[in-house]
């Protein structure tokens, strides 16, 4: 240890209190879960409820993992909702049943991998565009992605002519809707994505580069990091995650339309922020992001489950987001 | 070459998009220059667009307004340049029609969609009385459109009132907005199935998108029965509005129970023919648009409830879309 | 200004302050007399800045009291301190880059003009006052210039001017000279003497020994968050002072550099900056085992030169050869690939990653060498290696996982040195490497330089500290206003000869 | 910005080129205006068109001035749209004709100042809340205002029960809809607000403090600026501006409902960014904000005027925003 334990240092706090103050996100989530459990007399802990929560949040989880990484590099992405919407529409258009006369490619039957390929490429391309604008165009991420959001929306409407892209093949829907034993497929995909993101952030050079860029882009450049390339990479990865999200969402709904996933960017950003990913860059973990998604998920799910009046849901949600982030921030307060 | 302005509420909505598409077809056929603008659900934008077109010299309009309450102001602005307009989808206010004889209702009031849903539900329970809860009680789940949206408000009110008028006891098990979105509807439905399993006997939604989200959720939760004798393989019927092609497909598969057609072709044709007649000076009171004559007797719902403007009201019928007739609405 | 009759203008008694994991101050007492320069010395992380931040209301002390001009004072913010007559030059530059010099100087106390009941800024007075202030301090800075457009040293000069302009009775200077050259430091001392002549007390923090003996009347020494003692400067000599600071004998200022100068490693030929105001036509060469010092006045474009060699800025002409082979360096990546490393001058701006751990801060530039077959990071090796390097430099940190922002300035600098040592460069460029580093650690850094040279590595050291240039370099190259005015062999390099070349303006 | 002369000395560029490179925003606006003028054969320069543009952008201008100041202090505000919506609803509820039976306070006739007072207080309180959360709660502005956005929306729905608040008094509507000679009232209000904001930013201590906080909050703090108080001030001022925007919007539309002003935050933020207010804080001027609003305005107006297909409008708008900010950024590129 380089630490001079002599006069200057104190032993780090141990035990429960230290754990709580280090894991506010987890504590928030667990408290909300217990609260909901009490309010529903334990029914929210039953498997069908847990399963629903997992299914409901899985698509958002992909978006959150993507934007979470972007925020770690000190960026932001407002285009998520419409990119996911466009991807879902593209994917759906290649997965419509061939006997559906109103299909975009009526009478054509495409192989099952095509919707995924098309969707992921679409998402990836939008991510790439965002990344290039931010990295090489030097646009603030907020404004670059606001622009691409508008572009994605335009493409979606032009592609679908505002019509619903529906009647998807059962084989396609099963990919999203199926289960492996009691565990929904979607949850498995999320788990796989989490492992990949965890390895990326924790165990690869690129992941460390993301933190470095978010922490101090100039210093990252001086340290030999290709800041532009890594920035393009993070937006592209995120785009690919949105692509997967869009494909799975289309399969889950059995359709896609212009309203699909609208506003998902705010949900995803709120979720990762609640999960402790800091908007000042350089801070955040995969587990935090997932906890954030689950926290917002349990708020939504709980309020729906309890039948809270929809007008009041908005109030409650607003206050809980504020409170959750407030407690999370407290742990940094002393340092500034 | 006559010019007609079309101010369209929101082209993201399929009904409105279909309405606009038909307008374009009609304009091309009639050799009319159509200036079509989309206000993205923002009334302020629609006012700006109206001003712009007036500045460009456009006098005659087909309007799908954002809000009933804004129609009078728009009518006055059009009146000021000596023009006229036909309003579709969202009804104009009585005051808007009173602005002048050149202002028309060419619509199927949103509330009719709700009333038709009530009729369909009534039919269903008449055929399947066993599905009713004791005491002629309907235990309903409601999935609403974006709160404050006129279609959300009027459709919901009308179906509730319609059921009560038919002597049912309506018990709202849960009611929440899904903002017209299938994905939100599916999530709400997932939670409700867990929370109210077996406690509801119908799912009523404000549009097909949400209805399909609910259907998907029920299917995934295996909330199904072996047969489709009552018209659906789901344990409870799900109702939508719009009669989109996907919804019809779902009906063909015995999933969605029924929907309501808001006739985009009928409404747009009626409104267009009125505007064209004005623009070419062919309009006279009593003019027949899309084969429809104006109402003569005041009805129950504004603005067609005011004798002073009843001659300016063209009511395009809504249609119930059920097992019996859905095939006729499908594109070939 | 002088409060006659009071022996001490400022007394800080029994101040304690702890941060998560660190007791930064432990019952520290400091008494400062009016009209005197009171030097505060101590190793990196001893708690000097923390003590001053408690005085200035930036930190709230856990216990203890502050008595200013005889009355107990509790400052809740910088505003309170400024109003009570304490001003401070902060260790880290703290200006608003996008605003003008005069706006920066009067920030928070802009002259106002009353119109009716409303008060508006008096732009003219602000401008005039700045000019008067600059003139009175003999500084040549245009008041309407954008602060961020000035060189670091001019920015520092503005900070000095600002601190002086408060007419405070206690002026705290936390390493004010760390980005100044000797001439500018001399100028600063003139300003300080004018202040003390008016009865102002100056608390002066510096790691430069010679300065203490030039300017200070009294010196207080801190170690590990404790006050060791206060002595009149007249009663103490350098060695004794160092001993008090580091708690052990340290007789040598510079380690011997015993290296064998080998073949050519780096050649720079006719290098011109793409910025017309910067350096042009610079030629030099660097051999294996050699330490090349680069001297000059501030603004001599030394930083620009090394930064350009490292690929951070464009050059318009000239070529760079490494091991006789022409290389194209368009970005730091290219430079690192060619075995070049650069420790930049602006620690906060282009050095540290404040929120990341000491380990990552150390390893970030060499991650590529710590990948296993699957291209995953070898955390264990990375941790071991960064810890080893930091231990060698005696970096003081609660743990390797601590965020680097919680380290004292000097310790942050040590981590940066470790970062570049970890890349095992052939050519190490150090721009002001010992800025803000305490004497003990300086010696450690010098030793490492000597070691590297002995092992055949080459080093370029840009420095504004003459003793260091002379003590460590085999040759000293001198720049003046972007021109290479001469290179001195070790035997020729003296303060005077360097100064002569550094002031050889066209 | 510097050219090399023979002797190697530098003189700042003079004349048109320097002007252009310093005023990219203005140049963008003027180019678009000329382009539109050409495309419409000069008709877009006629007074009625200009008047339309002024009316169309006036409400947005208030929102932009508010969020522009916030961005100068390095904040952001996502709550604008729903706060304006809530304000408009509150104001409208006090301005309904007394014979309108569906009015919120049916049968009551309030004085004409009440809607304004109520609206501005509502806006100001939300601004205050945002400011307190950011300054004292230390929440990232993005997330704090995301929370209050949800809260404002909840209140609006609860207050109006999701109904349209319509049938406003003519006397109230005239305030927004009237004209002074050929000049619309709304434009006069915007002009007055611009003067106030200009004085605030250029000629008061507080304005300088905003720039300092955005440029370097630590430097501001150690210069004795009460960063928290000033932060609360800027959000509150913005809230008051949103309040005025909401009151005027209700008068202009003659109604307010849950959809009023939705999404205005993105328009306003895009506008001020196009106008050169930097998201990195500390940079921006009143005139820039107004130019930004007019630039986006002329894009919208021009596309409406030319009848560009609505789906393609989204594409075009996205690309123009990106391009405008890209050119504006170029002038900073050299500094970094
Ligand atoms: N905000 C903070 N949070 C946690 N620890 C801190 C913080 N600020 C300072 N410290 C710790 O307090 C101790 C004293 O730091 P300080 O900056 O006062 O040292 P210093 O004497 O000024 O050193 P230097 O000469 O390097 O500037 C160090 O161990 C440092 O790590
Ligand atoms: N306008 C500017 N934009 C960006 N960086 C600048 C600017 N002006 C100066 N710098 C940087 O500030 C640092 C110090 O500036 P200064 O003019 O003192 O450089 P220098 O003359 O190269 O340095 P030295 O004092 O080491 O000889 C350098 O890294 C320089 O590149
Ligand atoms: Mg210090
Ligand atoms: Mg330098």
């Amino acid at each position: 240890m380089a630490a001079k334990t002599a006069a200057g240092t104190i032993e780090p706090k141990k035990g429960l209190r230290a754990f709580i103050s280090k894991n506010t996100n987890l504590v928030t989530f667990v408290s909300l879960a217990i609260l909901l459990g009490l309010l529903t007399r334990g029914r929210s802990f039953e498997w069908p409820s847990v399963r629903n929560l997992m299914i409901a949040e899985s698509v958002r989880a992909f978006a959150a993992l993507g934007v979470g990484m972007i925020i770690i590099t000190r960026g932001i992405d407002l285009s998520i909702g419409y990119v996911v919407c466009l991807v879902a529409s593209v994917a759906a258009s290649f997965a419509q049943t061939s006997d559906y006369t109103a299909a975009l490619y009526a009478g054509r039957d495409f192989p099952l991998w095509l919707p995924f390929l098309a969707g992921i490429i679409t998402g990836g391309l939008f991510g790439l565009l965002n990344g290039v604008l931010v990295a090489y165009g030097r646009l603030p991420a907020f404004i670059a992605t606001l622009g691409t959001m508008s572009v994605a929306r335009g493409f979606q409407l032009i592609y679908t002519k505002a019509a619903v892209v529906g009647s998807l093949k059962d084989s396609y829907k099963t990919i999203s809707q199926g289960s492996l034993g009691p565990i929904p497929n979607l949850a498995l995909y999320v788990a796989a994505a989490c492992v990949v993101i965890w390895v990326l952030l924790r165990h690869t050079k690129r992941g460390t580069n993301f933190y470095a860029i978010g922490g101090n882009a100039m210093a990252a450049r001086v340290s030999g990091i290709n800041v532009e390339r890594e920035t393009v990479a993070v937006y592209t990865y995120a785009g690919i995650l949105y692509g997967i999200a869009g494909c799975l969402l289309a399969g889950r709904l059995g359709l896609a339309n212009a309203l699909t996933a609208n506003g998902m960017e705010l949900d995803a950003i709120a979720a990762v922020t609640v999960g402790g990913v800091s908007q000042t860059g350089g801070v955040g973990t995969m587990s935090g992001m997932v906890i954030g998604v689950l926290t917002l998920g349990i708020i939504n799910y709980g309020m729906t489950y309890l039948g809270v009046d929809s007008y009041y849901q908005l109030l409650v949600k607003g206050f809980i987001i504020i409170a959750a982030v407030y407690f999370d921030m407290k742990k940094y307060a002393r340092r500034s | 070459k006559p010019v007609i302005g079309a101010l369209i509420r929101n082209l993201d909505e399929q009904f409105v998009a279909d309405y606009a598409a038909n307008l374009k077809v009609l304009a091309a056929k009639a050799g009319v220059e159509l200036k079509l603008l989309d206000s993205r659900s923002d009334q302020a934008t629609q006012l700006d667009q109206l001003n712009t077109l007036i500045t460009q010299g456009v006098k005659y309009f087909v309007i799908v307004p954002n809000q009933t309450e804004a129609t009078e102001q728009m009518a006055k602005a059009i009146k000021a340049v000596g023009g006229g307009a036909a309003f579709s989808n969202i009804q104009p206010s009585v005051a808007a029609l009173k602005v002048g004889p050149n202002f028309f209702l060419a619509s199927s009031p949103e509330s009719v969609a709700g009333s038709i849903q009530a009729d369909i539900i009534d039919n269903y329970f008449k055929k399947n009385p066993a599905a009713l809860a004791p005491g002629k009680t309907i235990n309903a789940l409601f999935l609403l459109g974006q709160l404050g949206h006129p279609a959300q408000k009027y459709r919901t009110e009308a179906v509730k009132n319609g059921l009560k008028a038919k002597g049912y006891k309506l018990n709202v098990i849960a009611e929440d907005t899904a903002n017209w979105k299938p994905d939100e509807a599916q999530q709400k439905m997932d939670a409700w199935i867990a929370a109210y399993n077996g406690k509801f006997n119908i799912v009523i939604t404000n549009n097909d998108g949400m209805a399909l989200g609910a259907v998907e959720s029920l299917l995934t939760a295996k909330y199904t029965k072996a047969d489709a004798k009552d018209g659906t393989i789901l344990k409870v019927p799900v109702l939508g509005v719009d009669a989109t092609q996907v919804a019809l497909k779902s009906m063909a598969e015995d999933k969605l129970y029924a929907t309501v057609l808001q006739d985009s072709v009928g409404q747009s044709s009626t409104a267009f023919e009125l505007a064209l007649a004005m623009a070419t000076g062919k309009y006279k009171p009593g003019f027949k648009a899309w084969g429809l004559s104006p109402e003569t007797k005041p009805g129950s719902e504004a603005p067609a409830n005011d004798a002073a403007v009843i001659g300016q009201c063209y009511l395009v019928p809504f249609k119930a879309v059920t097992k019996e007739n859905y095939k006729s609405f499908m594109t070939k | 200004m002088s409060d006659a009759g009071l022996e001490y203008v400022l007394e800080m008694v029994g101040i304690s302050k702890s941060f998560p994991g660190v007791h930064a101050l432990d019952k520290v007492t400091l008494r400062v007399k009016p009209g005197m320069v009171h030097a505060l010395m101590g190793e990196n992380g001893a708690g000097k800045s923390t003590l001053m931040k408690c005085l200035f209301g930036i930190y709230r002390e856990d216990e203890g009291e502050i008595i200013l001009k005889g009355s107990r004072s509790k400052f809740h913010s910088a505003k309170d301190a400024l109003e009570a007559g304490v001003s401070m030059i902060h260790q880290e530059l703290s200006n608003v880059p996008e605003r003008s010099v005069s706006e920066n100087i009067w920030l928070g106390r802009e002259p106002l003009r009353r119109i009716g009941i409303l008060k508006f800024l008096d732009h003219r007075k602000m401008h005039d006052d700045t000019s008067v202030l600059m003139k009175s301090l003999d500084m040549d800075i245009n008041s309407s210039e954008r602060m961020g457009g000035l060189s670091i040293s001019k920015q520092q000069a503005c900070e000095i001017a600002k601190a002086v302009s408060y007419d405070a009775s206690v002026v705290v200077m936390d390493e004010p000279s760390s980005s100044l050259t000797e001439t500018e430091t001399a100028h600063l001392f003139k300003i300080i003497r004018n202040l003390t002549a008016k009865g102002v007390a100056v608390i002066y923090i510096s790691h430069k020994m010679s300065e203490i003996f030039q300017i200070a009347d009294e010196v207080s020494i801190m170690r590990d968050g404790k006050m060791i003692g206060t002595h009149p400067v007249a009663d103490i000599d350098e060695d004794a002072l160092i001993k008090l600071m580091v708690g052990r004998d340290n007789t040598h200022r510079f380690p011997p550099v015993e290296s064998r100068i080998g073949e050519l490693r780096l050649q720079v030929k006719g290098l011109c900056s793409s910025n017309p105001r910067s350096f042009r036509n610079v030629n030099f060469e660097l051999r294996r085992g050699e330490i090349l010092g680069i001297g000059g006045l501030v603004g001599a474009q030394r930083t620009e030169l090394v930064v350009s060699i490292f690929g951070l800025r464009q050059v318009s002409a000239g070529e760079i050869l490494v091991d006789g082979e022409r290389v194209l360096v368009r970005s730091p990546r290219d430079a690192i690939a060619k075995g070049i490393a650069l420790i930049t001058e602006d620690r906060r701006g282009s050095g540290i990653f404040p929120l990341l751990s000491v380990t990552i801060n150390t390893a970030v530039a060499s991650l590529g060498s710590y990948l296993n077959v699957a291209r995953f990071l070898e955390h264990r090796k990375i941790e071991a290696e960064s810890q080893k390097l930091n231990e060698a430099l005696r970096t003081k940190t609660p743990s390797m996982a601590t965020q680097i922002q919680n380290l004292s300035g000097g310790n942050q600098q040590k981590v940066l040195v470790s970062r570049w040592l970890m890349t095992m460069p052939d050519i190490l460029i150090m721009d002001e490497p010992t800025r803000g580093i305490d004497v003990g650690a300086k010696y450690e850094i010098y030793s490492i330089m000597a070691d590297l040279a002995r092992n055949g590595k080459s080093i370029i050291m840009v420095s504004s500290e003459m003793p260091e240039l002379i003590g460590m370099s085999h040759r000293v190259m001198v720049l003046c206003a972007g021109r290479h005015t001469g290179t001195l062999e070790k035997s020729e390099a003296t303060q005077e000869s360097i100064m002569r070349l550094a002031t050889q303006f066209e």
Side-chain angles (χ1 to χ4, degrees), chain C residues 302-303 345 431-432 462:
Chain C
R302 298 162 296 175
T303 298
E345 158 184 65
D431 194 357
E432 311 284 2
V462 175

Side-chain angles (χ1 to χ4, degrees), chain C residues 148-153 297-304 313 345 462:
Chain C
L150 297 178
S151 68
I152 303 280
S153 60
L297 300 178
V298 162
Q301 309 301 328
R302 298 162 296 175
T303 298
E304 284 289 337
R313 272 197 240 300
E345 158 184 65
V462 175

Side-chain angles (χ1 to χ4, degrees), chain C residues 29 124 147-148 194 270-271 285 317 330 384 409 425 436:
Chain C
T29 297
R124 164 160 309 189
M147 185 58 95
N194 283 335
L271 204 66
E285 52 199 35
R330 278 159 313 184

Side-chain angles (χ1 to χ4, degrees), chain C residues 48-50 91 174-175 205 207 408-410:
Chain C
K48 306 177 294 290
S49 299
T50 304
Q91 184 171 9
D174 195 349
E175 305 194 24
I205 302 177
H207 290 293
S408 77

Side-chain angles (χ1 to χ4, degrees), chain A residues 89 96 100 102 104 156-166 255-259, chain B residues 11-15 17-18 244-246:
Chain A
S89 308
Q96 291 179 298
Y100 178 50
L104 254 118
Q156 197 277 341
L157 289 170
I158 292 169
Y159 187 68
T160 64
K161 302 188 189 64
V164 182
V165 187
L255 60 87
N257 72 355
L259 299 173
Chain B
L11 282 177
D12 296 4
E13 287 177 33
Q14 189 167 10
F15 169 82
D18 291 345
T244 56
Q245 290 301 315
V246 204

